[in-house]
Amino acid sequence: MHPSSTMRSFVPVALTLPLAFAHPLKPRDTPEFVITDLAATFPYPTGPYGDPSVNSILTISVTYPDPSSTTGATLDTTCSLNWPEGTDPAPTEWTACADPTLQLRLPADGWTSDTRFTVELWETLTASGSGLDASQLIAADPANPSDPNAYMFCLQKGKFNPLTCTLTGPYGQTQRTVVMPAVEEGSRPA
């Protein structure tokens, strides 16, 4: 056996040995809110067959960090916003979700229309008022399916019906989730 062949067989083992002792990656430290479902009904005033007089509603299902967990556990809740018949959907103030430690609003600076708006979530973590804040633009944009914010699909189902929106992407074919990295704040944004 030649010394060079021994060295060639030793080199691959020496290079892979550190990989055998490598530690698995730690979970990400950034807390996240995940919108797992969205259902909305909005007026459809455009054209002769629209229905501008409906009770509008936006409901989302959210997975969010459990503040009492040390292992990264999460909780689930739903959040809803309502606009009575004859009222156009518009930005909202903070509204408590089913679990009141989580709140939802549609901020004025993120509102374009009922098919393009920013969702903001706030989770209260401490009695002093600090918590987690996250926001994300959500849009229905079938004309631009590569838009990274095109999470929604909206459709008017027949004459004289409202516009309904779901979290199924620009063409209504694939269920989507919206992952929103959260930032810890000393108090809830005004």
PDB file of all heavy atoms in Angstrom, residues 172-185:
ATOM      1  N   GLY A 172     -57.609  31.384  -6.066  1.00  0.00           N
ATOM      2  CA  GLY A 172     -58.521  30.559  -5.295  1.00  0.00           C
ATOM      3  C   GLY A 172     -58.222  29.087  -5.338  1.00  0.00           C
ATOM      4  O   GLY A 172     -59.098  28.273  -5.077  1.00  0.00           O
ATOM      5  N   GLN A 173     -56.995  28.703  -5.644  1.00  0.00           N
ATOM      6  CA  GLN A 173     -56.675  27.288  -5.834  1.00  0.00           C
ATOM      7  C   GLN A 173     -55.890  26.657  -4.699  1.00  0.00           C
ATOM      8  O   GLN A 173     -55.893  25.450  -4.556  1.00  0.00           O
ATOM      9  CB  GLN A 173     -55.893  27.108  -7.132  1.00  0.00           C
ATOM     10  CG  GLN A 173     -56.681  27.531  -8.340  1.00  0.00           C
ATOM     11  CD  GLN A 173     -55.848  27.525  -9.601  1.00  0.00           C
ATOM     12  OE1 GLN A 173     -54.633  27.577  -9.551  1.00  0.00           O
ATOM     13  NE2 GLN A 173     -56.510  27.447 -10.737  1.00  0.00           N
ATOM     14  N   THR A 174     -55.191  27.449  -3.889  1.00  0.00           N
ATOM     15  CA  THR A 174     -54.304  26.881  -2.881  1.00  0.00           C
ATOM     16  C   THR A 174     -54.514  27.575  -1.548  1.00  0.00           C
ATOM     17  O   THR A 174     -54.422  28.795  -1.473  1.00  0.00           O
ATOM     18  CB  THR A 174     -52.823  27.069  -3.304  1.00  0.00           C
ATOM     19  OG1 THR A 174     -52.646  26.551  -4.614  1.00  0.00           O
ATOM     20  CG2 THR A 174     -51.893  26.359  -2.349  1.00  0.00           C
ATOM     21  N   GLN A 175     -54.797  26.776  -0.512  1.00  0.00           N
ATOM     22  CA  GLN A 175     -54.936  27.352   0.826  1.00  0.00           C
ATOM     23  C   GLN A 175     -53.602  27.960   1.236  1.00  0.00           C
ATOM     24  O   GLN A 175     -52.556  27.354   1.052  1.00  0.00           O
ATOM     25  CB  GLN A 175     -55.354  26.275   1.827  1.00  0.00           C
ATOM     26  CG  GLN A 175     -55.589  26.795   3.226  1.00  0.00           C
ATOM     27  CD  GLN A 175     -56.736  27.784   3.326  1.00  0.00           C
ATOM     28  OE1 GLN A 175     -57.717  27.701   2.599  1.00  0.00           O
ATOM     29  NE2 GLN A 175     -56.621  28.720   4.242  1.00  0.00           N
ATOM     30  N   ARG A 176     -53.615  29.156   1.757  1.00  0.00           N
ATOM     31  CA  ARG A 176     -52.402  29.872   2.162  1.00  0.00           C
ATOM     32  C   ARG A 176     -52.412  30.115   3.657  1.00  0.00           C
ATOM     33  O   ARG A 176     -53.462  30.076   4.298  1.00  0.00           O
ATOM     34  CB  ARG A 176     -52.323  31.231   1.458  1.00  0.00           C
ATOM     35  CG  ARG A 176     -52.331  31.196  -0.050  1.00  0.00           C
ATOM     36  CD  ARG A 176     -50.923  31.073  -0.572  1.00  0.00           C
ATOM     37  NE  ARG A 176     -50.888  30.938  -2.010  1.00  0.00           N
ATOM     38  CZ  ARG A 176     -50.513  31.894  -2.845  1.00  0.00           C
ATOM     39  NH1 ARG A 176     -50.158  33.069  -2.385  1.00  0.00           N
ATOM     40  NH2 ARG A 176     -50.481  31.668  -4.135  1.00  0.00           N
ATOM     41  N   THR A 177     -51.238  30.395   4.189  1.00  0.00           N
ATOM     42  CA  THR A 177     -51.099  30.908   5.542  1.00  0.00           C
ATOM     43  C   THR A 177     -50.267  32.181   5.444  1.00  0.00           C
ATOM     44  O   THR A 177     -49.466  32.334   4.531  1.00  0.00           O
ATOM     45  CB  THR A 177     -50.409  29.913   6.490  1.00  0.00           C
ATOM     46  OG1 THR A 177     -49.136  29.583   5.956  1.00  0.00           O
ATOM     47  CG2 THR A 177     -51.233  28.661   6.682  1.00  0.00           C
ATOM     48  N   VAL A 178     -50.474  33.081   6.373  1.00  0.00           N
ATOM     49  CA  VAL A 178     -49.742  34.336   6.397  1.00  0.00           C
ATOM     50  C   VAL A 178     -48.881  34.339   7.656  1.00  0.00           C
ATOM     51  O   VAL A 178     -49.408  34.348   8.768  1.00  0.00           O
ATOM     52  CB  VAL A 178     -50.697  35.554   6.420  1.00  0.00           C
ATOM     53  CG1 VAL A 178     -49.902  36.853   6.418  1.00  0.00           C
ATOM     54  CG2 VAL A 178     -51.662  35.497   5.237  1.00  0.00           C
ATOM     55  N   VAL A 179     -47.561  34.276   7.471  1.00  0.00           N
ATOM     56  CA  VAL A 179     -46.637  34.275   8.599  1.00  0.00           C
ATOM     57  C   VAL A 179     -46.182  35.709   8.847  1.00  0.00           C
ATOM     58  O   VAL A 179     -45.678  36.376   7.947  1.00  0.00           O
ATOM     59  CB  VAL A 179     -45.424  33.362   8.316  1.00  0.00           C
ATOM     60  CG1 VAL A 179     -44.433  33.417   9.473  1.00  0.00           C
ATOM     61  CG2 VAL A 179     -45.882  31.937   8.053  1.00  0.00           C
ATOM     62  N   MET A 180     -46.380  36.167  10.085  1.00  0.00           N
ATOM     63  CA  MET A 180     -46.097  37.554  10.441  1.00  0.00           C
ATOM     64  C   MET A 180     -45.074  37.583  11.580  1.00  0.00           C
ATOM     65  O   MET A 180     -45.441  37.340  12.739  1.00  0.00           O
ATOM     66  CB  MET A 180     -47.387  38.249  10.884  1.00  0.00           C
ATOM     67  CG  MET A 180     -48.474  38.234   9.833  1.00  0.00           C
ATOM     68  SD  MET A 180     -50.126  38.702  10.459  1.00  0.00           S
ATOM     69  CE  MET A 180     -49.836  40.316  11.124  1.00  0.00           C
ATOM     70  N   PRO A 181     -43.807  37.868  11.293  1.00  0.00           N
ATOM     71  CA  PRO A 181     -42.829  37.992  12.379  1.00  0.00           C
ATOM     72  C   PRO A 181     -43.233  39.138  13.316  1.00  0.00           C
ATOM     73  O   PRO A 181     -43.642  40.196  12.870  1.00  0.00           O
ATOM     74  CB  PRO A 181     -41.519  38.320  11.658  1.00  0.00           C
ATOM     75  CG  PRO A 181     -41.738  37.902  10.248  1.00  0.00           C
ATOM     76  CD  PRO A 181     -43.207  38.044   9.980  1.00  0.00           C
ATOM     77  N   ALA A 182     -43.130  38.877  14.620  1.00  0.00           N
ATOM     78  CA  ALA A 182     -43.552  39.861  15.614  1.00  0.00           C
ATOM     79  C   ALA A 182     -42.348  40.535  16.263  1.00  0.00           C
ATOM     80  O   ALA A 182     -41.269  39.969  16.331  1.00  0.00           O
ATOM     81  CB  ALA A 182     -44.407  39.181  16.676  1.00  0.00           C
ATOM     82  N   VAL A 183     -42.580  41.757  16.722  1.00  0.00           N
ATOM     83  CA  VAL A 183     -41.558  42.545  17.397  1.00  0.00           C
ATOM     84  C   VAL A 183     -42.079  42.888  18.791  1.00  0.00           C
ATOM     85  O   VAL A 183     -43.243  43.281  18.940  1.00  0.00           O
ATOM     86  CB  VAL A 183     -41.274  43.852  16.612  1.00  0.00           C
ATOM     87  CG1 VAL A 183     -40.285  44.726  17.356  1.00  0.00           C
ATOM     88  CG2 VAL A 183     -40.788  43.539  15.216  1.00  0.00           C
ATOM     89  N   GLU A 184     -41.226  42.742  19.806  1.00  0.00           N
ATOM     90  CA  GLU A 184     -41.658  43.094  21.163  1.00  0.00           C
ATOM     91  C   GLU A 184     -41.609  44.608  21.337  1.00  0.00           C
ATOM     92  O   GLU A 184     -40.639  45.262  20.987  1.00  0.00           O
ATOM     93  CB  GLU A 184     -40.779  42.409  22.208  1.00  0.00           C
ATOM     94  CG  GLU A 184     -41.347  42.539  23.605  1.00  0.00           C
ATOM     95  CD  GLU A 184     -40.786  41.552  24.585  1.00  0.00           C
ATOM     96  OE1 GLU A 184     -40.108  40.601  24.180  1.00  0.00           O
ATOM     97  OE2 GLU A 184     -41.045  41.750  25.782  1.00  0.00           O
ATOM     98  N   GLU A 185     -42.697  45.155  21.861  1.00  0.00           N
ATOM     99  CA  GLU A 185     -42.836  46.594  22.086  1.00  0.00           C
ATOM    100  C   GLU A 185     -43.164  46.850  23.549  1.00  0.00           C
ATOM    101  O   GLU A 185     -43.770  46.001  24.209  1.00  0.00           O
ATOM    102  CB  GLU A 185     -43.942  47.176  21.209  1.00  0.00           C
ATOM    103  CG  GLU A 185     -43.753  46.997  19.717  1.00  0.00           C
ATOM    104  CD  GLU A 185     -42.718  47.939  19.124  1.00  0.00           C
ATOM    105  OE1 GLU A 185     -42.289  48.881  19.818  1.00  0.00           O
ATOM    106  OE2 GLU A 185     -42.336  47.716  17.968  1.00  0.00           O
TER     107      GLU A 185
END
